[in-house]
Amino acid sequence: MIVTSELVIDVRNVSVRYIIPHERIPTLKEFAIKWLRGRVVWKQFEALSNVSLAVRRGESVGIIGRNGAGKTTLLKVIARVLRPGAGTVSTTGRVVPLLELGAGFDPELSGRENIFLNGAMLGHSRRYMARRFDDIIAFAGLEEFIDAPLRTYSTGMVARLGFSVATDVEPDVLLIDEVLSVGDIEFQQKCVDRMNRFREQGVTFVLVSHSLPTVTNLCERAVWIDNGCVAMDGPAAEVVAAFTARSAGVQPGAGEADAGRSRISA
Amino acid sequence: MLQMVRSAREILKYRTLLATLVSRDLKVRYKRSVLGVLWTMLNPLLMMIVFSVVFAKVFRFTFEHFTIYFLSAFILWNFVSQTTSWSTACLLGYAPLIRKIYVPKAIFILATVLSGLVNLLISLIPLAMIMAVVRHPIHASVLFLPLSILLATVFALGLSLFLAGICIEFNDVVQIYQALLLAWMYLTPIVYPLDVVPERYRWLIVANPLYPLVETFRAPIYAGVLPDSMTVLRAAVWALAALISGWWVFERRSDRIAYLV
């Protein structure tokens, strides 16, 4: 494993606010009425507040935390899916997001066409994908079903195809959100092998997972996100241990609702 | 302006995706068959019959080849109205994708407009057939059509970006726009000649951006002459104005689209 001093992900003082869904003004009619009455207010939920994270080339970072803590939001910010309300994000090299397996797949198209569609979304040309095609289906183990429409695939098969397309090209930065647990044992092992190979080759990855063993196995470093803030950042084993200790001490669910409420502002 | 060049460059980087989106659109529409292509030609044909009967017989428009006069404008109108109304809903259709993966959002609008453009080109075929049937001569002036179509495409893209930017925030604009479209069609001399409009209301028609665009397209087909330079200039100004303002509105919102869909 090679960790250099070069920063590949640099998240600085990032805050992300969501407009709470039922408070969104969805129509021009409502907006006009509220505006005329001078009552245009948006309630917002701060999913990330002032988060900074610097990742060097070759690092493997696991992100842990409770449901709704802001882990996925952080990953989406790094993947440029969400533009933060405040702060800056910069990445270098080819960033491949695996935010949800099957994102960017069209259920009506066949597996074959979906490989090209997904490749196009990652910015690859058709000719390039045609060259990689055999390797992709071989890794996914889907040779027999490649011409069937994707809607006939099982969840596991879609997951395999998604992982296979995304990781076929060696990315500079791989962002993974809780997707390794979908396939069967055999495929999971293939994924872990590929991830380990990436790690040896110096690919940076950021992994969001609720599976603490996965984090300790695959990552050197872990970041614990709590209530939209970085609670702890350090060697994976230590962070996981601290998180486990805290989770064991807190009644499941207690405090979560309060914490959520305190982050809502008008 | 510099920003605009930068986004155009980014879209160019994703040209494979653009091509894939357009071809998927067309596959869905034509169901991968010649019959599907013929089927889409049926719609303008039926419209033509209805309008020809209503306006030629009921209103007794007695000028020559009313059918061609109407149809040459109607397919252009169809292109602008279809692409812009598809664009109002198109981002919502791609919502699962937009929430999970980064791509320049304008690419979805561009793909919608381009697949409408293919539609427009295809509908030139039944138009040519009808012209042959009613023995309306085809002049060399049709060589001007690529420019007319380009202007209409730029205009449609600009308006589509504008509407998509607004509709992502306020989804009732989709319905409002449908109503406006109906009014817009009758404010454009598509089914009637400009000279049936009383003199003092004529400015209203001439100020309509679609009027020069339609004339630029219709003159080479129907009259067999090049459109006059003033009309072309007006069409070009409207097209550019639509593109710049539409792009501006869309770009300002494009960062927030992932939060809104």
Side-chain angles (χ1 to χ4, degrees), chain B residues 50-61 66 186 191-192:
Chain B
V50 171
F51 277 98
S52 303
V53 170
V54 170
F55 285 91
K57 300 279 181 271
V58 181
F59 291 100
R60 298 184 194 288
F61 286 162
F66 168 77
Y186 287 102
V191 288
Y192 56 84

Side-chain angles (χ1 to χ4, degrees), chain A residues 98-118:
Chain A
L98 258 178
L99 294 179
E100 184 179 284
L101 288 178
F105 280 156
D106 184 328
E108 290 304 316
L109 296 179
S110 68
R112 180 186 302 276
E113 290 168 305
N114 268 301
I115 290 178
F116 286 104
L117 178 63
N118 218 244

Side-chain angles (χ1 to χ4, degrees), chain B residues 30-56:
Chain B
Y30 299 127
K31 301 285 172 219
R32 299 161 202 258
S33 72
V34 182
L35 203 67
V37 177
L38 289 177
W39 197 258
T40 40
M41 291 180 183
L42 258 176
N43 186 30
L45 270 174
L46 284 174
M47 289 295 278
M48 183 209 74
I49 293 167
V50 171
F51 277 98
S52 303
V53 170
V54 170
F55 285 91

Side-chain angles (χ1 to χ4, degrees), chain B residues 79 83 87 108-118 153 156-157 160:
Chain B
F79 165 63
T83 51
S87 297
F108 301 116
I109 311 296
L110 187 58
T112 304
V113 172
L114 289 183
S115 76
L117 176 64
V118 174
T153 309
L157 177 62
S160 295

Side-chain angles (χ1 to χ4, degrees), chain B residues 53 63 88 92 133 140 145 196 203:
Chain B
V53 170
F63 57 94
T88 55
L92 282 181
V133 169
L145 287 181
V196 304
W203 62 270

